[in-house]
Amino acid sequence: MATDSLAVKPARAPIPEPSAWDRLRVNRNWLGAWFMMPAMAFLVLFLAYPLGLGMWMSLTDMRIGRGGSFIGFENYVYLLDDRDFLRATGFTLVYTFIASIFKFSIGLYLAVLLNNNMPFKALIRAVVLIPFIVPTVLSAVAFWWIFDTQFSIFTWLLQKWGILEKNQLINWLGDPLLAQGSVIFANIWRGIPFIAITLLAGLQTVSPSLYEAATLDGASKWQMFRFVTYPLLTPIIAVVMTFSVLFTFTDFQLIWAMTRGGPVNATHLMATLSYQRGILGGRLGEGAAIATAMVPFLLAAIMISWFGLQRRKWQQGENND
Amino acid sequence: MASVGIRDVKKSFGATPIIHGVNIDIQDGEFVILVGPSGCGKSTLLRMIAGLENITAGDIMIGDRVVNNVPPKERDIAMVFQNYALYPHMTVADNMAFSMKLRGAPKDEIKTRVDKAAKILSLSPLLERYPRQLSGGQRQRVAMGRAIVRDPQVFLFDEPLSNLDAKLRVQMRTEIKELHQRLKTTTVYVTHDQIEAMTMADKIVVMHDGIVEQIGAPLELYDRPANLFVAGFIGSPAMNFIKGKIDGSGFHADGGFNLPIAGAPAGSSGKSAVYGLRPEAIRLDGAGLEARVHVVEPMGSETQVVADIGGQNITCVFRERIQAKPGEVIRVSPDAKLTHLFDGDSGKRMAA
Ligand SMILES: Nc1ncnc2c1ncn2[C@@H]1O[C@H](COP(=O)(O)OP(=O)(O)OP(=O)(O)O)[C@@H](O)[C@H]1O
Ligand SMILES: [Mg+2]
C-alpha cells in the first residue's frame, strides 16, 4: 500500500523555522499597509491636516491678519447663544432633509421611467443629465432670475392661470419662507440627475429574467417594483443617498449665488454662515467653530449609511454566476 | 394538468420571421422535449407558450382554452429559466413561496406547500439560505421547487441543465424524470442536447430553422428518421451519410463501392440517394469493405474508429476492443437491416 512506502522513506532534512522577517515578508497585512502609504500620505496632507487646523482654529480667537490665542470653547459657547447660528443649523437640517427626500423620490421615479423602453431613449437620458452638467453658479444665476420679483416665470405663470391678479408680484427671494422654499427647490432640481442616473445604472444591472420570473409568478407592476426592483436596488440607494446627504448638508455655491444667506439670514446654511463670519467678517476662529460644528452631523450621517451600506446577507457568499 | 396545442404558430421579430408555422399536440401529462440546433426558435416557442412573447399568427391552447391573449399569470404555467432567475435577495423558502404570497395564500398553506416541495427535491436543509450560497445544482433544484409549489397545469423548462457539469447533468436528468413520473404534470422541455432528449422524453419535437422536422417517440426518431436533418441530429456519434445511387437491390456509392440495403422502394433503381449508416450499425467482418483507420478512440465500453472507406471518412463504433493502429486496414460491413435511405434531392426518407 501507499502508506507503507511512505513510512519507510528516509527522513529529509527538517524545514528550518521561518524567521520573523520571513513571516513579515509574506504577511499580506504588512504588504497591504505599505501599499496604502501613498494614499494615506495624501489624506493626511490634504484632509487630516486642514481638518485638524480648522478644529484648532475654532478653539482660538484668531482673526485675519492676527494670530489668535487659545480660548477653549468660548467660540462654541458664544455660538450656542447666537440666534443666527442656531437658525442656520436648523435650516441646514431642514434643507438637507426635505431636499433629500424629494431628490430621492423623484430621482427613483425618473430612473424607473427611463429604464423602460421608449423612443429617443438616449436623448431623454442625456436631457435628464443637464442640471448636473451646468455649473452650479450658472444654474444658480438662472434660478435667481426664475425667482426674480419682477421677471419670475413662476409669477408670470401664476398670473396667466389667474391664480394671481395681474401686476400682483411675489417677492420670492425677499420673503424668508419663500426664499427658503426657493433655494430648496433649486437644490432639488440640481440634485435629481445624479440620483436618477446612478439608480438607472443600478436598475440596468437587474437581470430581465427576474422580471419575467416575477411576471409568471403573477406579480403586478407595483409588486414587481416593491418586491424585486426596490430590494435589489437598496445597496445602490444607500451609496447614492449618503453622497447626496453629504453634498446637500455642506452645500455652499447655490445659496451663495442665489441669496448670500438672506433675507435676514433666513437661508444661511452652516457652510455659508461660516464663510461669512470667518472670511468676510474676518473672525476666523468663530468661522472655524461653525464649520467644525458640522462635523458631528456629518459623522452621524456617515454612521447611519455605514450600517445601510453593510453588505446585506443575500449579497454574501461566493459569487459564481 | 392540461394538454397543450400549438396550431400553425408563427413568430416574427420585426420583419424577420423566426418561426414559420409550427404544429404540435401535447397530451395531458406528457413529457415533450423540443430539441434542435442553437437559434432554431425553441426558446421563442417556449416563451410564447408562457406568454412572455406575443404570437404573430396561429393559436396556442392550454386545455381547450386559446391563450393567445391571456396574460402569463393567468395561464397557470410555471417556467424554469436557463439561468434559474432566482430572486437573489430572498431565501430559498421565500423564492419558492413568492408566487403564493402574491396570490395572498394563507401562511400555513404556503408553509406546507413549500415544505412538501423542499422535501421532494431534498432542499429542506437549505430553506434559509440565499441563492448565492448554493451550488449550481442546488439552485437548479430551487428553480424547480419554485415551479412545483405553484402546482401549475404545465411546466416549461428552458435548458435547465446547460449550466451544470456533465456528472450533475446526468444526475439531474434522472431527478427531473422521476419528478415527472411522480407529479405527472404536462411538461415542455427545451434542450439542444439530443442525449437529454433521447433519455427523458415521451415525445421529441425536432426543430430546425423555425420549422418542425419530425415529432415522435425517442426510438422512433432514432429508428426511422424522417429526413437527413433528423437522421444527422439524433444519435451520437452522428450517422454517416454516403452519397450514391440505388442499384437494383443494393446501393452503389459514389466512392466506387457497394453497400447492402434492407430493400429498395419499387422503381427506385438508378435514382440518386443518400445512404445513412449509424456508427453502431457497422460490424467487423473479414469479408467486408476495406477501411483504412485514421483515428482510434477507446471509450472503455466501446471503441470508436474513424476510417476511410472509398475516400470518405466513416465513423464506426465497435463493442469489441480493437488494436488497430492508424494507417492499418480493417474490414467492416454494415448491418443491412439497420441502414437508412434518403432521397438524393429532397433529403426525405425513402420507404423501404
Ligand atoms: N428579441 C429578439 N429580437 C430579434 N430576434 C430574436 C429575439 N429573440 C430571439 N431572436 C432570434 O430568434 C431566433 C431563435 O431564437 P431562440 O432564442 O428561440 O433560439 P433557441 O432555439 O432557443 O437557441 P438556443 O439553443 O441557442 O437557446 C434566433 O435567430 C434569434 O436571433
Ligand atoms: Mg434558447
Side-chain angles (χ1 to χ4, degrees):
Chain A
M1 287 295 295
T3 43
D4 297 334
S5 60
L6 277 181
V8 296
K9 251 192 194 154
R12 298 240 191 99
I15 298 167
E17 273 291 298
S19 68
W21 168 242
D22 282 334
R23 260 179 286 151
L24 206 53
R25 228 173 24 157
V26 295
N27 185 322
R28 306 187 106 231
N29 295 337
W30 177 253
L31 196 67
W34 273 103
F35 279 128
M36 268 162 49
M37 287 296 266
M40 286 288 282
F42 262 105
L43 289 179
V44 167
L45 197 62
F46 294 112
L47 273 175
Y49 172 69
L51 189 68
L53 190 65
M55 284 185 180
W56 163 249
M57 265 160 56
S58 75
L59 301 176
T60 68
D61 60 356
M62 192 186 280
R63 287 166 168 272
I64 287 183
R66 196 141 54 81
S69 48
F70 182 78
I71 54 168
F73 287 97
E74 225 170 87
N75 280 327
Y76 294 98
V77 174
Y78 167 75
L79 283 174
L80 275 181
D81 273 337
D82 182 31
R83 277 199 47 206
D84 283 335
F85 170 74
L86 295 179
R87 196 171 178 182
T89 309
F91 181 59
T92 307
L93 288 173
V94 171
Y95 181 81
T96 308
F97 187 71
I98 297 184
S100 297
I101 285 182
F102 275 96
K103 281 191 275 194
F104 172 65
S105 357
I106 302 174
L108 182 59
Y109 179 73
L110 265 182
V112 172
L113 214 62
L114 289 178
N115 197 34
N116 288 327
N117 267 327
M118 54 179 145
F120 307 113
K121 193 152 90 177
L123 190 72
I124 295 174
R125 284 182 188 173
V127 169
V128 168
L129 267 178
I130 286 181
F132 193 53
I133 302 168
V134 179
T136 312
V137 175
L138 201 62
S139 52
V141 170
F143 270 105
W144 199 40
W145 281 106
I146 288 173
F147 291 119
D148 186 89
T149 313
Q150 287 277 323
F151 305 107
S152 166
I153 185 167
F154 287 137
T155 310
W156 182 77
L157 278 177
L158 291 175
Q159 285 176 352
K160 261 239 130 106
W161 293 334
I163 297 169
L164 287 184
E165 303 272 312
K166 269 248 172 299
N167 301 327
Q168 191 183 355
L169 296 175
I170 298 183
N171 196 359
W172 293 105
L173 297 180
D175 175 82
L177 210 58
L178 279 178
Q180 290 178 338
S182 302
V183 291
I184 290 176
F185 180 89
N187 180 279
I188 292 171
W189 179 83
R190 195 176 150 66
I192 284 173
F194 170 64
I195 292 176
I197 294 296
T198 316
L199 293 184
L200 177 62
L203 282 177
Q204 288 174 341
T205 63
V206 179
S207 152
S209 60
L210 289 186
Y211 294 123
E212 292 182 342
T215 310
L216 295 184
D217 276 341
S220 64
K221 276 257 182 279
W222 165 249
Q223 286 171 323
M224 247 185 250
F225 174 79
R226 171 70 192 75
F227 297 116
V228 180
T229 314
Y230 182 75
L232 287 175
L233 221 50
T234 44
I236 291 175
I237 290 176
V239 176
V240 76
M241 287 319 290
T242 305
F243 278 105
S244 173
V245 165
L246 295 186
F247 289 151
T248 313
F249 195 89
T250 57
D251 198 6
F252 174 86
Q253 288 188 65
L254 199 68
I255 302 285
W256 200 251
M258 274 176 78
T259 64
R260 310 231 153 178
V264 286
N265 294 338
T267 59
H268 259 311
L269 296 179
M270 292 171 92
T272 51
L273 190 69
S274 159
Y275 179 77
Q276 195 180 45
R277 296 271 171 92
I279 307 296
L280 301 184
R283 293 198 300 276
L284 286 177
E286 192 184 324
I290 296 174
T292 308
M294 292 165 78
V295 173
F297 293 106
L298 295 176
L299 278 182
I302 290 174
M303 288 303 276
I304 292 171
S305 68
W306 189 75
F307 288 111
L309 276 176
Q310 296 217 319
R311 281 168 76 79
R312 278 151 191 76
K313 212 160 161 222
W314 56 266
Q315 291 177 290
Q316 279 161 6
E318 57 174 341
N319 177 6
N320 55 5
D321 50 20
Chain B
M1 274 176 274
S3 59
V4 176
I6 297 171
R7 304 277 144 75
D8 281 321
V9 164
K10 294 186 179 151
K11 173 76 187 172
S12 312
F13 285 110
T16 325
I18 296 294
I19 291 183
H20 318 273
V22 161
N23 283 292
I24 305 172
D25 275 308
I26 298 166
Q27 308 303 322
D28 191 359
E30 216 171 12
F31 196 113
V32 171
I33 292 194
L34 304 181
V35 65
S38 192
C40 69
K42 309 178 295 284
S43 300
T44 308
L45 191 58
L46 199 71
R47 292 165 57 83
M48 285 196 285
I49 300 176
L52 295 172
E53 215 66 83
N54 51 27
I55 300 164
T56 308
D59 284 324
I60 289 184
M61 331 215 334
I62 296 178
D64 14 272
R65 182 167 66 138
V66 175
V67 293
N68 291 16
N69 296 314
V70 177
K73 66 170 162 181
E74 283 159 32
R75 294 190 183 195
D76 205 4
I77 41 103
M79 184 157 169
V80 175
F81 292 83
Q82 180 169 357
N83 62 1
Y84 313 143
L86 299 179
Y87 308 115
H89 56 291
M90 295 185 200
T91 60
V92 169
D94 288 339
N95 260 288
M96 299 210 282
F98 188 54
S99 64
M100 295 191 70
K101 263 188 201 150
L102 291 180
R103 243 183 292 149
K107 273 220 162 66
D108 42 334
E109 191 198 334
I110 296 181
K111 189 162 164 30
T112 35
R113 293 267 283 273
V114 168
D115 284 347
K116 195 172 142 218
K119 207 153 148 221
I120 295 177
L121 295 163
S122 16
L123 285 171
S124 305
L126 307 177
L127 281 177
E128 292 314 312
R129 295 233 198 138
Y130 289 93
R132 285 257 160 135
Q133 302 162 322
L134 300 177
S135 75
Q138 289 165 339
R139 284 182 211 179
Q140 205 277 338
R141 286 210 296 264
V142 176
M144 290 207 304
R146 199 164 63 172
I148 293 175
V149 167
R150 301 263 309 272
D151 191 18
Q153 306 243 23
V154 183
F155 278 137
L156 305 175
F157 290 88
D158 192 355
E159 306 197 23
L161 305 185
S162 57
N163 287 344
L164 305 181
D165 69 37
K167 195 164 170 197
L168 197 53
R169 207 179 300 177
V170 174
Q171 185 193 332
M172 292 307 298
R173 220 152 71 190
T174 330
E175 282 183 22
I176 294 180
K177 188 75 193 153
E178 270 172 16
L179 190 70
H180 177 252
Q181 274 155 9
R182 186 147 153 191
L183 302 176
K184 303 236 171 3
T185 307
T186 314
T187 303
V188 186
Y189 184 110
V190 163
T191 177
H192 56 240
D193 179 351
Q194 54 97 13
I195 298 185
E196 240 168 64
M198 293 292 286
T199 50
M200 295 168 75
D202 293 328
K203 187 155 95 182
I204 297 180
V205 178
V206 181
M207 291 184 63
H208 181 213
D209 283 347
I211 58 160
V212 170
E213 295 278 3
Q214 190 175 3
I215 302 180
L219 291 180
E220 196 180 320
L221 299 194
Y222 180 87
D223 291 336
R224 299 182 58 79
N227 52 40
L228 280 173
F229 178 80
V230 178
F233 194 80
I234 300 287
S236 164
M239 187 186 276
N240 297 296
F241 293 123
I242 302 159
K243 287 208 177 79
K245 274 192 176 57
I246 296 177
D247 182 10
S249 60
F251 181 85
H252 185 73
D254 289 347
F257 52 96
N258 288 314
L259 292 162
I261 54 179
S268 63
S269 186
K271 269 178 83 172
S272 81
V274 177
Y275 188 87
L277 183 56
R278 291 211 182 271
E280 50 275 26
I282 302 175
R283 313 258 180 270
L284 286 172
D285 175 5
L289 295 161
E290 267 187 20
R292 186 168 300 277
V293 174
H294 278 316
V295 182
V296 180
E297 292 174 355
M299 322 267 272
S301 62
E302 51 199 25
T303 311
Q304 190 173 322
V305 175
V306 181
D308 180 316
I309 302 180
Q312 186 173 354
N313 274 348
I314 304 288
T315 309
C316 322
V317 170
F318 301 114
R319 306 290 308 174
E320 303 89 344
R321 300 201 168 174
I322 62 169
Q323 306 294 340
K325 300 253 166 353
E328 283 178 13
V329 170
I330 56 174
R331 284 182 171 275
V332 297
S333 66
D335 186 336
K337 293 196 298 297
L338 301 180
T339 61
H340 306 264
L341 273 182
F342 301 96
D343 190 292
D345 303 319
S346 67
K348 292 243 178 334
R349 180 181 189 82
M350 294 169 88

